[in-house]
Amino acid sequence: MDIRVLIVDDSALIRNLLGEIIRAADGMEVVGSAPDAFAAKQMVIDLKPDVITLDIEMPKVDGILFLDRLMKARPTPVVMISTLTEKGADATIKSLELGAIDFIAKPKVDVARGMKHYAQDIIEKIRIASQSNPRRLDPKKLQQQQQIPISYSGTETIVAIGASTGGTEAIREVLQKLSPAFPATIITQHMPPNFTKSFATRLNNTCDIKVKEAENGERLLPGNVYIAPGDKHLKLIKSGADYRIKLDDGPLVSGHKPSVDVMFSSLAEISNGNVVACILTGMGRDGAQGMLQLKNKGATTLVQDEASCVVYGMPKAAVELGAADMIYSLGNISMALSKAVEKKGAGTRL
């Protein structure tokens, strides 16, 4: 059965371009096209689309407000249409908080050629969205969650987390429960440049643990979380007694830059087992091979379970490869990480 897509965008050009791309794809159809949120509201009721592409910046009622109302009334997989600007990045991160599955970054110039160039990516995101489990995390509930105490004061253990589709909110739920005493944590989330900086800033404003976009050469410190920039691989290297971040501008790995496999593999090269690695929700296989390398070096490895994933792709690949020691629901990941860290203790050195 074809994936039924509703396009909501105030730009006639974007509506036409998206329509052409979707109609040309196998197994998809455009069931409607709306220029604003008012027209879209009735179309959602009448047409019951499988996926909605939604422009963030629209007159009268913007995409964020429409998305908020949609997810409360009729949760539907939504792919946002965003702009490659700082303002667009902030709004996109907000839309992911509200339950959007993913987003398409609209080119700054030559929109027609740019959209057609990314046609395959657009189709893939819509397909993934159609298979996803849309969920909106309750911000008030997240704020009320108690921090997990941790009896660990060492500086050697490193935690590494990888995620993709649905990962921004999964990461937020995990980090908001972590104590400032938590070990240094590195994260690769599939996301374009600009967006990772906005993502890190938003996390830093809502978490007790410090969160920032990673910088080349900086030293890892306990109580800090480092997010891989959207256009660089994040690697970890040993520099004397320190562990430092190396940002790599190499080619795509496992189809991505930044790549979870690259991050995990770099840890495996310097690891003597004192690593805790986690894969959260996401499409594809990125991270599975690198996690297996870490497991073979004595790292503790865990993944998110299918029921709580927006997309059970990356965790599933790790499980099928035999790379995951444990499987937990999203709500239990923070506790599992904390217990794994405590078990590692302060005595084992990388």
Side-chain angles (χ1 to χ4, degrees):
M1 190 172 182
D2 287 352
I3 300 169
R4 297 162 47 81
V5 183
L6 172 63
I7 300 169
V8 185
D9 201 298
D10 68 317
S11 166
L13 173 62
I14 296 295
R15 293 198 304 273
N16 289 335
L17 289 171
L18 281 174
E20 290 176 8
I21 291 169
I22 294 167
R23 292 186 187 96
D26 291 335
M28 289 190 186
E29 65 172 315
V30 177
V31 295
S33 180
D36 56 53
F38 291 105
K41 179 182 178 181
Q42 192 58 47
M43 287 185 177
V44 170
I45 296 171
D46 294 340
L47 302 174
K48 297 179 176 58
D50 299 315
V51 178
I52 299 172
T53 68
L54 177 62
D55 186 19
I56 287 180
E57 300 173 357
M58 293 190 298
K60 301 176 184 177
V61 176
D62 66 21
I64 297 294
L65 181 56
F66 176 77
L67 176 67
D68 185 33
R69 293 172 177 173
L70 173 72
M71 297 307 290
K72 290 175 180 176
R74 188 181 187 276
T76 304
V78 174
V79 176
M80 303 299 291
I81 307 296
S82 177
T83 54
L84 284 169
T85 64
E86 185 174 344
K87 181 181 177 182
D90 289 341
T92 300
I93 300 302
K94 177 63 177 178
S95 72
L96 295 173
E97 288 180 5
L98 292 173
I101 301 299
D102 209 335
F103 63 94
I104 297 164
K106 187 165 49 179
K108 290 182 181 179
V109 295
D110 199 351
V111 175
R113 181 179 297 179
M115 292 291 284
K116 290 179 180 178
H117 179 73
Y118 290 110
Q120 185 175 349
D121 188 44
I122 291 168
I123 293 303
E124 182 182 13
K125 287 179 183 290
I126 292 174
R127 287 195 195 283
I128 292 170
S130 72
Q131 301 165 14
S132 69
N133 174 29
R135 61 192 296 268
R136 178 184 177 180
L137 300 176
D138 187 343
K140 292 182 179 179
K141 184 178 180 181
L142 284 177
Q143 291 172 2
Q144 293 169 358
Q145 289 176 339
Q146 291 188 341
Q147 195 177 91
I148 297 171
I150 183 169
S151 57
Y152 175 81
S153 58
T155 60
E156 296 299 321
T157 299
I158 293 174
V159 176
I161 300 173
S164 187
T165 312
T168 57
E169 285 312 283
I171 290 169
R172 182 164 71 113
E173 180 166 351
V174 170
L175 296 188
Q176 283 190 323
K177 298 177 187 177
L178 299 183
S179 159
F182 201 73
T185 301
I186 53 177
I187 296 177
T188 289
Q189 160 72 44
H190 297 158
M191 194 176 276
N194 285 346
F195 292 83
T196 44
K197 185 174 182 179
S198 179
F199 177 46
T201 299
R202 202 169 189 92
L203 287 173
N204 190 56
N205 292 336
T206 57
C207 299
D208 288 328
I209 195 168
K210 295 179 182 178
V211 185
K212 68 185 298 292
E213 187 178 52
E215 297 178 52
N216 190 53
E218 70 179 315
R219 177 189 172 202
L220 256 64
L221 295 172
N224 286 264
V225 177
Y226 306 87
I227 308 288
D231 57 350
K232 299 285 192 300
H233 294 303
L234 188 159
K235 296 181 177 180
L236 206 62
I237 60 173
K238 189 76 181 290
S239 177
D242 298 334
Y243 302 99
R244 295 187 179 273
I245 288 171
K246 179 181 179 181
L247 298 182
D248 190 308
D249 196 23
L252 301 181
V253 175
S254 303
H256 300 280
K257 186 167 71 172
S259 163
V260 183
D261 270 327
V262 169
M263 180 178 70
F264 283 172
S265 294
S266 74
L267 268 173
E269 290 180 10
I270 61 173
S271 169
N272 191 27
N274 208 22
V275 174
V276 178
C278 175
I279 294 180
L280 301 174
T281 174
M283 187 68 181
R285 302 187 57 83
D286 188 27
Q289 191 63 51
M291 177 171 272
L292 182 60
Q293 293 173 2
L294 280 171
K295 181 180 178 180
N296 290 338
K297 284 293 190 76
T300 300
T301 59
L302 55 109
V303 300
Q304 184 178 347
D305 72 352
E306 182 174 8
S308 64
C309 278
V310 173
V311 178
Y312 187 58
M314 287 163 54
K316 180 182 180 182
V319 170
E320 291 177 344
L321 198 60
D325 291 323
M326 298 166 285
I327 304 172
Y328 291 96
S329 66
L330 179 59
N332 293 324
I333 293 285
S334 303
M335 181 63 77
L337 290 173
S338 298
K339 288 184 176 180
V341 165
E342 289 178 345
K343 190 173 182 180
K344 289 292 180 187
T348 305
R349 302 184 70 84
L350 283 173

